[in-house]
Amino acid sequence: MAVTGGILVLFLLMHMIGNLKIFLGAEDFNHYAHWLRTVGEPAVPRRTVLTVTEIVLGLAVVLHIWSAVSLGRRAHEARPVKYQAKKKSHAQGYAIHTMRYGGVTILLYIIWHLLDLTFFVVNPKGGDATPYERMVADFDPSRWFITVWYVVAILLVGLHLHHGVWSAFQTLGLRTPRSERALRGLAVAVAAVVTAGFISVPVSITAGWVS
Amino acid sequence: MKLTLRVWRQQGPEDKGSMVEYKIDGISADASFLEMLDVLNEKLIADGADPIAFDHDCREGICGMCSLVINGTPHGPERATTTCQLHMRKFKDGEVIDVEPWRAKAFPVVKDLVVDRSAFDRIIQSGGYISAATGTAPEAHSTPVPKPDADAAFEAAECIGCGACVAACPNGSAALFLGAKVTHLGLMPQGQPERWDRVVGMLDTHDDEGFGGCTNTGECTIACPKGIPLDVIGRLNHDYLRATVGGKKK
């Protein structure tokens, strides 16, 4: 969970920085989207870096889910008879309780997101439009429900990271009493930056600040 | 105090078991939780009924035998306290109290509230020891231990092996117990020879016994009557990775 999660967090940060290019205008944004396909040229053929990234990410997602499912199954088997009293949680952290269903929601969101802005199946503009046009059309004020869906999914990603980033360090044996406060802080910071960065784009388009 | 208890009754390992309600009156607020159960049992015996079986031994909070999940919380509502040291003044008069055994596949119910915790013994047998010279006790200063290491090892050594961490864990994992043992012995010079075999051996046995995997929810450390910190799980993971990926285990 920790290693694959780490790969995905690094990707999220890069993805978010790329998204923020939308605030620099259509030309910058489209140029960036184009660069993603040509990066590495002429040393490697067109789309090599992008394809390798896609494969690594795909594997990371699959292994991350596989780890989560095996942990869930082990947990289920480890307590065949449940408690009769209402389950009480004393550990701090709403985020921990969203990890499993939040993760499933994020998976559904990723599928929608790929159909929307990678394969253009559910995007109002098709493959002929520029990336910038697709973004603006996608989060048009008339399609506010799409924006809400994106915002909800991103908030869940933020909660996921709030526990996940700290937990990854613990799993890898890198958390010590001395680094505890710093790691909690890092988890909150990563979660906050990723959430704010991603939410700013669809919300700005729906609000008409980017058009 | 007047109380309504809903207690898990189960004739034996094969019995299905169910919650049975008992009304009890005249309990002193200064009675311990186990003394309250003693009073109830005396009444049950006088009535010719089968008394409630529950584990207990020292009643001083140090042996690790008492093991009740009270209102969904292992060892009850008071932090860093075993069931035997929990007093009835922590409950409201007229309260309905649910009493259940530890729930884990690796801790099968023997009878009523008694569970078999020998899975922990088997984990200890697979690495929770040191090889020491036998004979007279060595001079205490012959093996110097840095004070911070001694303190951290002692903190982990406070684990009484009661199993509350497993009972509290949503995954049914015993990672806190494992971490306590690995930290306690791994920080001491005497624990070094078996350090890498210990962590791998104990974790393998833990998994074979049917305990779940740790997802760092932190419920265990709060339920722990000795307040063993989550740091020990970090150290467990650290030593495990060094033993396996790091190639330390020969």
Side-chain angles (χ1 to χ4, degrees):
Chain A
M1 301 245 68
V3 174
T4 50
I7 294 171
L8 296 170
V9 171
L10 291 178
F11 162 73
L12 278 180
L13 287 168
M14 311 262 274
H15 185 355
M16 186 203 75
I17 292 166
N19 283 11
L20 294 178
K21 291 229 159 234
I22 203 148
F23 294 111
L24 297 178
E27 202 182 320
D28 264 315
F29 189 75
N30 291 336
H31 178 237
Y32 163 74
H34 180 71
W35 170 82
L36 285 179
R37 282 148 189 82
T38 59
V39 60
E41 280 189 82
V44 288
R46 183 181 156 86
R47 236 187 166 284
T48 305
V49 174
L50 187 63
T51 308
V52 169
T53 311
E54 283 167 349
I55 292 168
V56 170
L57 286 175
L59 277 176
V61 168
V62 169
L63 291 176
H64 197 71
I65 293 168
W66 176 77
S67 312
V69 169
S70 18
L71 275 168
R73 283 176 63 169
R74 274 185 66 187
H76 185 73
E77 285 164 17
R79 181 163 296 136
V81 183
K82 308 285 177 237
Y83 289 111
Q84 303 275 319
K86 204 171 165 292
K87 211 162 74 182
K88 278 219 180 90
S89 169
H90 301 284
Q92 312 261 315
Y94 173 70
I96 292 166
H97 305 289
T98 67
M99 293 307 275
R100 286 196 178 128
Y101 76 81
V104 172
T105 315
I106 292 167
L107 175 65
L108 294 175
Y109 163 75
I110 292 173
I111 293 168
W112 174 270
H113 184 51
L114 290 176
L115 289 175
D116 184 2
L117 291 163
T118 303
F119 301 113
F120 320 134
V121 180
V122 293
N123 191 276
K125 299 259 179 182
D128 299 333
T130 66
Y132 189 86
E133 287 167 346
R134 278 194 290 269
M135 288 288 282
V136 172
D138 206 12
F139 303 113
D140 189 81
S142 64
R143 285 163 57 87
W144 58 269
F145 46 90
I146 297 291
T147 307
V148 170
W149 166 220
Y150 270 72
V151 169
V152 168
I154 292 161
L155 286 173
L156 280 170
V157 171
L159 282 172
H160 212 75
L161 295 188
H162 185 326
H163 175 66
V165 169
W166 170 85
S167 183
F169 282 96
Q170 170 85 333
T171 301
L172 295 175
L174 301 172
R175 175 188 160 273
T176 59
R178 256 199 304 179
S179 63
E180 164 68 5
R181 280 190 61 187
L183 290 177
R184 289 279 183 195
L186 179 74
V188 172
V190 170
V193 166
V194 166
T195 308
F198 274 115
I199 284 183
S200 67
V201 175
V203 167
S204 298
I205 295 172
T206 307
W209 302 321
V210 171
S211 56
Chain B
M1 288 177 81
K2 208 172 156 173
L3 298 161
T4 304
L5 294 171
R6 300 202 310 148
V7 183
W8 182 261
R9 299 304 308 262
Q10 184 173 339
Q11 279 300 310
E14 307 303 324
D15 184 28
K16 222 174 152 297
S18 63
M19 297 294 266
V20 178
E21 199 172 287
Y22 299 96
K23 301 242 187 246
I24 185 165
D25 202 352
I27 294 293
S28 160
D30 295 327
S32 76
F33 200 86
L34 298 186
E35 284 164 349
M36 181 274 294
L37 288 179
D38 291 337
V39 172
L40 174 60
N41 272 347
E42 280 171 12
K43 200 175 136 230
L44 289 176
I45 293 166
D47 294 348
D50 191 21
I52 301 162
F54 61 90
D55 259 332
H56 62 102
D57 189 19
C58 75
R59 300 210 179 189
E60 290 179 347
I62 52 171
C63 75
M65 276 308 279
C66 54
S67 57
L68 305 178
V69 173
I70 302 162
N71 284 339
T73 303
H75 291 302
E78 197 178 2
R79 290 271 176 101
T81 305
T82 54
T83 300
C84 63
Q85 295 293 300
L86 173 70
H87 291 87
M88 298 316 293
R89 52 181 171 270
K90 299 288 170 185
F91 297 88
K92 287 191 288 286
D93 193 29
E95 194 169 337
V96 180
I97 305 171
D98 286 337
V99 190
E100 295 173 80
W102 285 177
R103 290 292 185 201
K105 185 179 163 222
F107 291 159
V109 172
V110 179
K111 186 173 194 260
D112 298 337
L113 302 168
V114 177
V115 295
D116 178 359
R117 282 170 282 186
S118 28
F120 269 13
D121 297 338
R122 289 187 289 275
I123 291 177
I124 293 289
Q125 282 164 12
S126 57
Y129 53 80
I130 58 164
S131 48
T134 54
T136 50
E139 211 290 309
H141 289 99
S142 57
T143 312
V145 181
K147 180 75 167 110
D149 288 356
D151 287 347
F154 190 81
E155 187 181 40
E158 279 192 69
C159 169
I160 52 177
C162 66
C165 45
V166 178
C169 178
N171 301 306
S173 169
L176 196 74
F177 170 75
L178 278 181
K181 302 305 166 195
V182 163
T183 301
H184 159 206
L185 300 173
L187 280 173
M188 305 300 280
Q190 293 88 340
Q192 297 311 308
E194 294 94 357
R195 183 170 174 186
W196 313 110
D197 289 329
R198 172 182 307 121
V199 63
V200 176
M202 288 179 86
L203 196 73
D204 286 350
T205 308
H206 167 275
D207 291 356
D208 291 345
E209 291 289 344
F211 292 105
C214 176
T215 61
N216 303 324
T217 65
E219 297 287 352
C220 51
T221 186
I222 294 164
C224 178
K226 297 294 151 186
I228 305 288
L230 272 189
D231 310 344
V232 299
I233 298 180
R235 198 174 285 277
L236 167 74
N237 292 332
H238 184 84
D239 271 17
Y240 185 77
L241 286 174
R242 276 183 76 187
T244 52
V245 184
K248 284 276 191 183
K249 185 181 181 294
K250 295 287 175 288

